[in-house]
Every structure is written in C-alpha cells, then in structure tokens.
C-alpha cells in the first residue's frame, strides 16, 4: 500500500499570501495519478487537481499542482478567505489512498 | 445535473450489518467507476472500496476486506456497500464518489452517517 504523508499538518497564513502544501508518497505514484481535494466544514470533498497538475473544471487558476514520482505540491498563489479549509492528496495509481490532510488556517 | 445521493446510514451494534445505497443520476452510470470513501468524526478521508463500470474490477482497503462488499446495478443506476461484522472503528460518514478518467473522484454525494456503538 502506498502511504501518503502531507505536510505541514496545519499551515497558518493570511489572505493574499501564497500557500505551499506538500504530499510525499512512500513509493513512486505510477503515471502521476495524484489528485488534490478541498473539503469545507460539513461538505463533501471537491476535486481541485488531477494527474498531479491538471485543474478540474471550474477551479480558479490560483490553484496549481506540480511534482512527480514521490513528491507532489499544491500551491495556492493568493489565498482568498474561502480557501482556509482542509486539503487532501490522493493517489490512484495503485489501489487508492489518501493523505491525512493539511488544514490552512488564518 | 450529475447527482449522487447516499442512503441507508443508521446506528447499529458491533457485529451487526448494514447496507448502504447510492443513487446516481445525470450521467451514464455504467460508464464510470465508483468508490466508497469514509470519514470518521473529526478525522481525514479514508478510501474504502472501488468498483469498475462493469463490476469486473473490485478493490478494497485492507481495513474492510472480508467484511464489506461493494456492488452496483447499472439498470437501477445504483451503487451499494454491504457492511458486515461492523466494528466501533467503522463509525463514519460514508460518501459515494464517481471515478473519472484514470480514477480521480470528480463528483461526490453528501454522505450518510453510520454509527457503530453498543
């Protein structure tokens, strides 16, 4: 099983700042089958990024994904108030697993 | 509009069974893989099970293997999760999620709560 480790657990920033979230895999993720999801309190997750770097439909361009192999990054270029929630990475190259999440807080 | 609606969540004693359902609409159900993902109270997401569009490919998380069974009915546009031998640690909100392309989950239901407690 591929284990995904997200860091940091909590990221404290201010609106307008840049957020960099990390997701490290215990082994290489095949074909960069890595996605990022956003989850707001009381809501289901929402797909942000798939294939490590492709934005899902309707996702603002301040969200970007990068990386390959075992190291992946989600970048939010300029934080908006609604971005202060929890983010998860998921690999779907070998079965499926989620990271433990990163909370972005003000 | 693509929609997934879960049902069947309830409170059950340890060792009991429960069957969750997910009704799909707004898309060609048989063309997509489907997943169950759960979230324990205050915790992160945990993938539970996957089923391909034709039911020929099925995967389970180790934590539920041998106890849970995923299935689908492409005529009824429905996804199911039969949960047996339930444990306290199975308490969670259970989401069904559509798998697109190579497997990313692009559409999620609102979730149904399963509580396992004596």
């Amino acid at each position: 099983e591929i284990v995904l480790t997200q860091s940091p657990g909590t990221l404290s920033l201010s609106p307008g700042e840049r957020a960099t979230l990390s997701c490290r895999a215990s082994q290489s993720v095949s074909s960069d089958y890595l996605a990022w999801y956003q989850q707001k309190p009381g809501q289901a997750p929402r797909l942000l990024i798939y294939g490590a770097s492709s934005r899902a439909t309707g996702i603002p361009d301040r969200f970007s994904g990068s990386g390959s192999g075992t190291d992946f990054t989600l970048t939010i270029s300029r934080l908006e108030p609604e971005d202060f929630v929890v983010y998860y990475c998921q690999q779907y190259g070998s079965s499926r697993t989620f990271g433990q999440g990163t909370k972005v807080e003000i | 509009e693509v929609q997934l609606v879960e049902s069947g969540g309830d409170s059950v004693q340890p060792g009991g069974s429960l069957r969750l359902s997910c009704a799909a609409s707004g898309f060609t159900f048989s063309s997509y893989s489907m997943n169950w993902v759960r979230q324990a109270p205050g915790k992160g997401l945990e993938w539970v099970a996957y089923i391909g569009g034709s039911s020929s490919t099925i995967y389970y998380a180790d934590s539920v293997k041998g106890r849970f069974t995923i299935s689908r009915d492409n005529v009824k546009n429905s996804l199911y999760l039969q949960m047996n031998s339930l444990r306290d640690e199975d308490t969670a909100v259970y989401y069904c999620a559509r798998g697109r392309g190579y497997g990313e989950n692009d559409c999620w239901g609102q979730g149904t709560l399963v509580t396992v407690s004596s």
Side-chain angles (χ1 to χ4, degrees):
Chain A
E1 173 184 306
I2 296 179
V3 176
L4 299 179
T5 302
Q6 292 187 239
S7 61
T10 301
L11 190 56
S12 298
L13 294 168
S14 299
E17 288 193 301
R18 181 186 189 91
T20 303
L21 287 66
S22 173
C23 177
R24 178 162 291 179
S26 60
Q27 54 189 282
S28 184
V29 177
S30 63
S31 303
D32 296 336
Y33 289 154
L34 192 287
W36 290 92
Y37 300 87
Q38 177 191 67
Q39 188 177 31
K40 297 180 178 180
Q43 295 186 16
R46 175 174 72 146
L47 176 66
L48 296 176
I49 301 289
Y50 63 95
S53 60
S54 298
R55 259 189 311 275
T57 303
I59 301 304
D61 61 6
R62 65 179 182 274
F63 292 93
S64 63
S66 62
S68 65
T70 61
D71 288 293
F72 299 88
T73 300
L74 174 70
T75 301
I76 311 171
S77 59
R78 294 172 310 280
L79 284 163
E80 298 287 341
E82 63 268 26
D83 300 335
F84 290 88
V85 291
V86 181
Y87 296 85
Y88 296 93
C89 59
Q90 179 205 29
Q91 69 80 24
Y92 46 97
S94 173
S95 190
R96 279 110 178 94
T97 48
F98 285 95
Q100 83 279 17
T102 290
K103 180 180 181 180
V104 178
E105 66 174 21
I106 296 179
Chain B
E1 177 193 5
V2 174
Q3 197 167 16
L4 297 171
V5 179
E6 302 95 335
S7 61
D10 204 348
S11 183
V12 61
Q13 292 189 335
S17 297
L18 210 54
R19 189 196 196 204
L20 305 184
S21 299
C22 171
S25 60
F27 64 101
T28 305
F29 183 66
S30 60
S31 296
Y32 291 83
S33 62
M34 296 295 296
N35 297 264
W36 286 100
V37 176
R38 68 185 180 182
Q39 188 167 35
K43 302 297 184 182
L45 302 173
E46 180 187 15
W47 170 77
V48 172
Y50 162 99
I51 186 168
S54 63
S55 302
S56 59
T57 304
I58 289 176
Y59 303 129
Y60 295 100
D62 289 344
S63 58
V64 306
K65 202 173 295 183
R67 300 187 299 122
F68 290 11
T69 302
I70 189 172
S71 63
R72 64 191 295 161
D73 185 330
N74 287 344
V75 174
K76 295 183 178 180
N77 291 340
S78 293
L79 175 72
Y80 306 103
L81 186 68
Q82 177 65 44
M83 304 186 295
N84 298 331
S85 303
L86 283 162
R87 306 167 179 169
D88 290 350
E89 56 265 34
D90 295 319
T91 293
V93 172
Y94 285 73
Y95 296 101
C96 64
R98 187 176 80 168
R100 188 191 67 177
Y102 292 102
E104 65 273 9
N105 301 131
D106 69 331
C107 182
W108 297 65
Q110 85 290 346
T112 188
L113 177 63
V114 172
T115 303
V116 184
S117 173
S118 53

